[in-house]
Amino acid sequence: MTMTLMVSACAVFSMPAMAIKYYGAAPLESRWSVTVDTPLECQIEHTIPNYGLAVFRSKASKKINLGFELEMRRPMGKTANVALVSMPPIWAPGDQASYIERLKFYKQFNGYIDGQAAWTMLSELEHGRYPTFSFPEWQSRGERVNVALSAVSFQQTYNAFNACVSRLLPFSFEDIAFTVLHYRESGDDLDHDSLARIENIASFIKNSPDVSLVLLATYTDGRGAKVVNQKTSEKRAKLLKEYFIELGLPEDRVKVQAYGERRPIADDSSPVGQHKNRRVVVSLERSTI
């Protein structure tokens, strides 16, 4: 950290003419807890007495991700610049403060950060330091508010959080909400890649009770009689519907449409085109409540 930032960090917390309202858990009241531990989401929380709740979240995705939300009992009355600073614990007064990030908290919204700044907060907590938000008090002049996260009792919960993150599914709802699967040349068996993708869909549905609809649209290639192709399409749709019902979805949440050889998407005169046409489209909807 540069000398300028060191001086600025100290200045934020040592302005003699500005009163400081401090919110933070005392060592004996500091509590961290795992509140969500599923293959879809991991979450830990820390209560800040008289102020609100600090929440770290990571969700199932192709990329490792982390978000932090400062849930305020009294949301900001106006948009303000915020200094996020790593503070030493009270029993290490000789250590210096250091900047983590400069932020904005927006009027009537909770404070939110993600990416590297959120990971840095976890790292600072693991090292026994106190990530602290400092900003002007919007209800009165000449005051600042300091909101601190305590590192006391953090490590055990953090270990559990990391274990949860390691078990997150490596894909999100958006990654599987619209999926095209393909069948082998004959019969009702999906090809190798499609079997892997449908297993991903199944894993997500098993852990996500808010999936409100699975729509299955089956197609064949154009070889053979239309009547036979239509029956083949209907059979495949029926088998897939049974598969998703066995996962625990109510029957009325699984809808099927069998199109047979209608609506080809490729030239049906070649093996490659036939493979593309021989498909099932799986569309998922999720409840917003």
Side-chain angles (χ1 to χ4, degrees):
M1 183 177 63
T2 67
M3 180 61 68
T4 299
L5 286 182
M6 289 171 60
V7 172
S8 298
C10 293
V12 167
F13 296 94
S14 60
M15 294 179 182
M18 186 170 287
I20 300 291
K21 285 185 179 179
Y22 179 83
Y23 297 95
L28 292 179
E29 63 183 359
S30 179
R31 299 287 185 274
W32 287 88
S33 58
V34 177
T35 52
V36 180
D37 185 347
T38 75
L40 301 184
E41 184 177 354
C42 304
Q43 179 172 299
I44 56 174
E45 296 181 357
H46 172 62
T47 299
I48 302 171
N50 302 314
Y51 189 83
L53 195 66
V55 183
F56 288 95
R57 295 187 185 92
S58 185
K59 296 185 178 183
S61 176
K62 290 180 179 179
K63 297 181 179 180
I64 296 175
N65 61 91
L66 180 69
F68 171 83
E69 187 171 9
L70 183 62
E71 298 182 1
M72 310 177 196
R73 293 178 185 171
R74 182 168 53 90
M76 302 289 287
K78 64 179 182 179
T79 297
N81 294 317
V82 177
L84 173 56
V85 182
S86 174
M87 295 294 294
I90 58 175
W91 51 87
D95 291 351
Q96 292 181 327
S98 59
Y99 261 108
I100 297 175
E101 189 66 270
R102 300 174 190 271
L103 311 164
K104 276 189 182 295
F105 280 178
Y106 292 92
K107 181 178 179 180
Q108 298 302 317
F109 286 91
N110 288 327
Y112 183 81
I113 62 175
D114 60 5
Q116 187 57 53
W119 290 110
T120 300
M121 290 176 67
L122 287 179
S123 177
E124 294 298 296
L125 284 163
E126 188 174 27
H127 285 87
R129 293 176 66 86
Y130 286 40
T132 302
F133 298 91
S134 181
F135 49 88
E137 169 59 87
W138 62 271
Q139 286 188 321
S140 62
R141 287 185 172 184
E143 286 188 323
R144 291 190 71 86
V145 175
N146 289 352
V147 182
L149 279 61
S150 170
V152 176
S153 303
F154 171 74
Q155 189 63 54
Q156 185 174 355
T157 301
Y158 186 42
N159 292 341
F161 179 74
N162 283 331
C164 177
V165 170
S166 71
R167 297 189 295 268
L168 287 172
L169 295 177
F171 48 86
S172 65
F173 176 78
E174 290 71 23
D175 295 325
I176 60 169
F178 182 86
T179 307
V180 180
L181 310 176
H182 296 279
Y183 288 94
R184 297 183 186 277
E185 187 171 353
S186 60
D188 304 315
D189 295 329
L190 295 169
D191 63 26
H192 178 76
D193 290 341
S194 296
L195 284 173
R197 290 200 295 273
I198 201 169
E199 287 177 2
N200 287 348
I201 295 171
S203 296
F204 196 95
I205 289 174
K206 286 178 182 177
N207 292 284
S208 184
D210 60 351
V211 173
S212 57
L213 178 65
V214 176
L215 178 62
L216 307 167
T218 57
Y219 306 83
T220 67
D221 57 40
R223 296 176 300 169
K226 285 187 177 181
V227 173
V228 174
N229 289 338
Q230 181 63 32
K231 288 184 177 179
T232 298
S233 183
E234 291 171 0
K235 180 182 178 183
R236 289 171 176 172
K238 180 175 180 293
L239 291 173
L240 284 170
K241 181 173 183 176
E242 291 173 351
Y243 173 81
F244 283 101
I245 290 173
E246 288 175 0
L247 294 177
L249 281 173
E251 186 172 355
D252 62 357
R253 293 189 183 182
V254 186
K255 305 296 183 183
V256 297
Q257 297 173 326
Y259 291 101
E261 63 185 64
R262 291 174 289 164
R263 302 183 182 180
I265 59 172
D267 182 1
D268 212 44
S269 63
S270 69
V272 172
Q274 292 164 4
H275 177 73
K276 290 181 178 179
N277 291 332
R278 200 166 52 243
R279 68 197 189 279
V280 54
V281 178
V282 183
S283 303
L284 307 182
E285 291 185 7
R286 210 173 184 183
S287 172
T288 57
I289 300 177

